[in-house]
Amino acid sequence: MARLFPIRHVMGYIFSLVLSLVALGVIYWDLTFSAAMVILIISALIQASLQLVLFMHIGETSSKKTLYLNIAYAVFVGVATIFGTLFAMIWGY
Amino acid sequence: MKWDEFFVTGEPMIYAADVSIVLVSLAIVIGLTYFKKWGYLWREWLTTVDHKKIGIMYILSALIMLFRGGVDALLMRAQLATPDSKFLDAQHYNEIFTTHGVIMILFMAMPFVIGMMNVVVPLQIGARDVAFPRLNAVSFWMFFMGAMLFNISFVIGGSPDAGWSAYFPLASLEFSPTVGNNYYSLALQISGIGTLMTGVNFIVTILKMRAPGMKLMRMPMFTWSVLITNVIILFAFPVLTVALALMMFDRVFGSQFFTMANGGMDMLWANLFWVWGHPEVYIVILPAFGIFSDIISTFSKKNLYGYKSMVVSMVAISVLSFLVWAHHFYTMGQGAMVNGFFSITTMAIAVPTGVKIFNWLFTLRKGKISFTSPMLYAMGFIPIFTIGGVTGVMLAMASADYQYHNTMFLVAHFHYVLIPGTVFGVLAGMHYWFPKMFGFRLNERLAKTAFWLIIVGFNVAFMPLFFLGLNGMTRRMYTYSASTGYGPLNMIATIGALILAVGFVVLCYNFFYSFRHSPRNEGGDPWDARTLEWSTPSPVPVYNFAKVPVVHSEDAFWHAKKHNVPLYEEGPYEEIHMPNNSGQPFILGVIMFFLGFFLVFSWFIPAIIAGVGVIIMLAVRSFERDHGYHIPPKEIAATEQKLRGDTV
Amino acid sequence: MKINDTLPLEYRTEENSNKIFGFWLFLGAEIVLFSTLFAVYFTLWNRTGNGPTGKELFEVGGVIWETFLLLTSSFTCGLGIHAMRLGLKKPMMIFFVVTLLMGLGFLGIEITEFVNYVHEGATLQTSAFLSSLFVLLGTHGLHVTMGILWGAGILIQVGRQGFTDETANKSFIFSLYWHFLDVVWIFIFSFVYLKGLM
């Protein structure tokens, strides 16, 4: 039974629950907007990395460099789209 | 939807189109039946998963779409030739410039470029096919059915009429109440998904299926350009997918994304469209750069100058292409900070492009140049494209752009970029690789005649538009009065368009002429070229390479020829594993066509049935156990004997 | 056919290894797709017109359950793949069934939530904010739905054929997809719900 629940996965799961709870804190604690956003961004990024590394095994093959590059490029385009859109449509006036 | 609105009525041109569609369809059906070719068509083409045949189908569709888009262009030029012309009314003119733009970019340039990739890339890297042959067929049929869906809008329901960029609020249900823009969103969506899958397919092919010894920095430049292009496709097309879906939601389900009330933001559409739209420009231009690089190197008898800088500049272009989009709407009213940022990134992108121009010039320098038809296109491209590029930098300056914005100057600029870039590129590539596809070359004399007509016609047609734009003629105006003084230059432009059209007729006539008269026994390497695809016999056998080539340097085939190094290892042939043909991609395409068509008219029950059909097709594919077939060594030996007259 | 014995079953043939690689690329495209939807949502989130705002609409209870279900399903999905690599068919299938059931639970809560919104007069047509909310959540929900259908199909194949090159490959690719949906949900949870309730 124990070998069905490897420690990496269990730790990853517990850690992701804890991170969700921390994120949930922003609506109960009395925080400034920027402090809350920092908490949300950091906890979400750690969660995403947890999934990628622990559950999706991104680093297990010889193509891992390409895979990291792929994710990095996608995140670059995604971030450029989100912030570029906000920049052009809302902040830039 | 009233039934009397279903078919477009009231225009002689529409009735002519109705009649010709019926006649052409009848002719195809009767011809296929008479010559007993239904089975052949199904077995050899509709169900094929062979990258070479899929490539040919892409190119053929692109040529047909080039004809459709070209007729649109001629109609526009006819209307604008004289002041106060009554040839087309405003509505009809709007529809024609819309379909001209959409068809030329998405259903001509894209499939032409993707067709070239399909035919050439696996051969250039020494692979037997693309990574996912079945997915490749799905991509093609999605594109093809999207294109057909878009084209039937002309006779059923009405064409879109809000420009190829379909800006809101004009494209909203309120201001464009016909189903035209529903066609736009759904047809582009279907073919766009196909393109996205092509992106995945070719990146995997190029990164994972190269012949042994072909390191990344030994790949032919066309393959490099295709790799970069597909990276851009992979990350740009999802944005289009979202934008088109939101457009469909606004038009079909009444959501409020781009409306003018309830918080909607009309310019958000323009923003999303160009987040995809500007990378799209590089998607159609980079492969052309790759084609020119290979052609210039081949016909100068030199290796490409500045290989590394070519690669670095393409990577730089791919990154920068995602950071320039707002230059398409400098005049929206945003602040100087936004315009400043996008102005600088836009000008920065001219640097890597300039690097490439110089590399081509240095490749030519001291080369033994032979002026074949592909080379003529490449030589024509360099100066004309430079004009397009320089005027692009003029437009990139935000403050100056207020003067040029949406004038004929812009129209001239992007035609000066896209025609010498993309169109000359794919035409050069078509002439260059034609023997690889069909086993004979196009007639050089006719090809050169066509080239000169095209290049002269092009300049006569578009150079006047720069001056018309500077004089204040805006784009998309369907007529003008004589007192504006636009008449003479417009007349010249129309004459140029006619010369251009004659050039394309000669180019097409050349297919028939060469089919009948070209010599068939020129071997696999008629141009004395440099890259691996020319080491195969022409036309290429289904398995491409009887033995997988071993690469020792850049320009592998040239190296092998000059230094007498064998490309293939000694030893007997081994069994080759090949994928089976399948009718599923075609059927899936047909179902997608109907799904799109039903959604265009908001017929939800049939649309749901078609949607279930799509899911069933996916399930069928998932449960299928198809392991392909094997070609035995004996059969390979026999085929090679026949094609080469010897054993490798 | 090239066989590489140093890697788990799902990578063994070149074709299957390419499929996994290709799917990672596809996930790159999915990242951009959801980023674009987020860009739209962030642009429109306070353009509520005459409709309700996020703060008036969101209820934290359902969202916590949704998050818990999806996080746990991602965990069990990972355990399923782990069991597969140990060659244990029955535990793998149990883990996958649990995964899909939790996916269904998630969908049930999401659909209830949508129905409640509509009852409160907050529909797709009400305001730009609601349009972007429904389409962002709906796209994720549609992905989950497709995932459930897909996963069920794979379970049937594993049940019939056991672990082969193909079924192992399909199961692994499915797990990538499922974990990815969890990642997307984390961002929705943080930047739609929590930020909206702040």
Side-chain angles (χ1 to χ4, degrees), chain C residues 126-160:
Chain C
T126 309
S127 69
F129 157 67
L130 285 165
S131 298
S132 62
L133 179 74
F134 275 111
V135 170
L136 174 56
L137 297 180
T139 307
H140 179 262
L142 184 70
H143 275 75
V144 174
T145 314
M146 293 304 287
I148 291 170
L149 292 174
W150 182 21
I154 288 170
L155 263 178
I156 295 171
Q157 294 177 40
V158 173
R160 278 188 200 161

Side-chain angles (χ1 to χ4, degrees), chain B residues 199-514:
Chain B
V200 173
N201 211 339
F202 275 84
I203 298 176
V204 179
T205 306
I206 296 174
L207 290 182
K208 295 286 173 189
M209 299 183 66
R210 297 191 307 279
M214 183 174 277
K215 297 173 185 158
L216 279 177
M217 291 313 265
R218 285 180 183 169
M219 296 198 306
M221 195 47 63
F222 178 63
T223 301
W224 254 115
S225 72
V226 169
L227 175 63
I228 305 290
T229 303
N230 282 292
V231 169
I232 307 180
I233 287 179
L234 184 69
F235 298 121
F237 266 76
V239 182
L240 178 72
T241 303
V242 170
L244 290 171
L246 302 188
M247 176 191 238
M248 184 195 75
F249 270 96
D250 260 18
R251 293 186 52 92
V252 178
F253 301 111
S255 61
Q256 306 282 352
F257 291 103
F258 311 125
T259 53
M260 309 226 285
N262 302 313
M265 192 189 261
D266 47 0
M267 281 306 284
L268 185 59
W269 162 265
N271 180 75
L272 293 179
F273 182 85
W274 290 115
V275 171
W276 160 79
H278 204 83
E280 165 70 11
V281 174
Y282 292 97
I283 291 168
V284 293
I285 210 103
L286 285 182
F289 286 177
I291 293 171
F292 288 132
S293 301
D294 279 8
I295 286 175
I296 288 175
S297 155
T298 298
F299 294 109
S300 306
K301 292 276 174 289
K302 283 175 68 188
N303 57 345
L304 191 65
Y305 183 90
Y307 182 98
K308 275 185 194 159
S309 62
M310 282 292 201
V311 173
V312 171
S313 60
M314 280 197 291
V315 172
I317 287 174
S318 89
V319 173
L320 280 173
S321 71
F322 286 101
L323 299 172
V324 298
W325 73 84
H327 69 214
H328 291 270
F329 45 91
Y330 280 145
T331 54
M332 176 175 73
Q334 69 273 47
M337 186 67 185
V338 176
N339 279 355
F341 175 83
F342 285 100
S343 209
I344 290 166
T345 52
T346 307
M347 285 189 246
I349 215 167
V351 176
T353 317
V355 168
K356 299 181 80 67
I357 299 268
F358 282 111
N359 281 339
W360 289 314
L361 292 177
F362 281 120
T363 308
L364 289 167
R365 185 169 174 266
K366 290 190 176 171
K368 270 189 264 168
I369 300 174
S370 43
F371 289 95
T372 58
S373 52
M375 189 62 168
L376 282 180
Y377 281 106
M379 304 284 269
F381 149 78
I382 296 175
I384 305 181
F385 182 81
T386 306
I387 298 176
V390 168
T391 49
V393 179
M394 288 170 72
L395 286 158
M397 292 181 273
S399 40
D401 181 69
Y402 271 70
Q403 201 60 33
Y404 317 126
H405 188 80
N406 273 356
T407 64
M408 281 299 195
F409 187 86
L410 170 79
V411 175
H413 155 70
F414 68 69
H415 283 90
Y416 259 81
V417 177
L418 287 171
I419 292 182
T422 306
V423 179
F424 283 16
V426 292
L427 291 181
M430 190 181 73
H431 285 85
Y432 182 56
W433 282 302
F434 201 87
K436 214 23 64 192
M437 291 186 260
F438 299 104
F440 58 94
R441 277 193 277 186
L442 289 169
N443 179 282
E444 277 292 281
R445 195 173 45 82
L446 278 173
K448 286 178 185 172
T449 312
F451 165 76
W452 285 111
L453 285 165
I454 287 171
I455 196 167
V456 170
F458 165 75
N459 281 292
V460 176
F462 290 100
M463 188 57 86
L465 302 191
F466 280 123
F467 299 101
L468 281 170
L470 292 177
N471 287 344
M473 182 174 178
T474 59
R475 74 195 287 207
R476 293 172 175 171
M477 56 196 282
Y478 88 105
T479 192
Y480 52 89
S481 68
S483 61
T484 55
Y486 300 153
L489 281 172
N490 269 306
M491 182 52 94
I492 294 172
T494 302
I495 293 167
L498 288 172
I499 301 173
L500 195 53
V502 175
F504 279 110
V505 170
V506 176
L507 189 133
C508 290
Y509 171 69
N510 198 2
F511 297 136
F512 298 99
Y513 182 86
S514 305

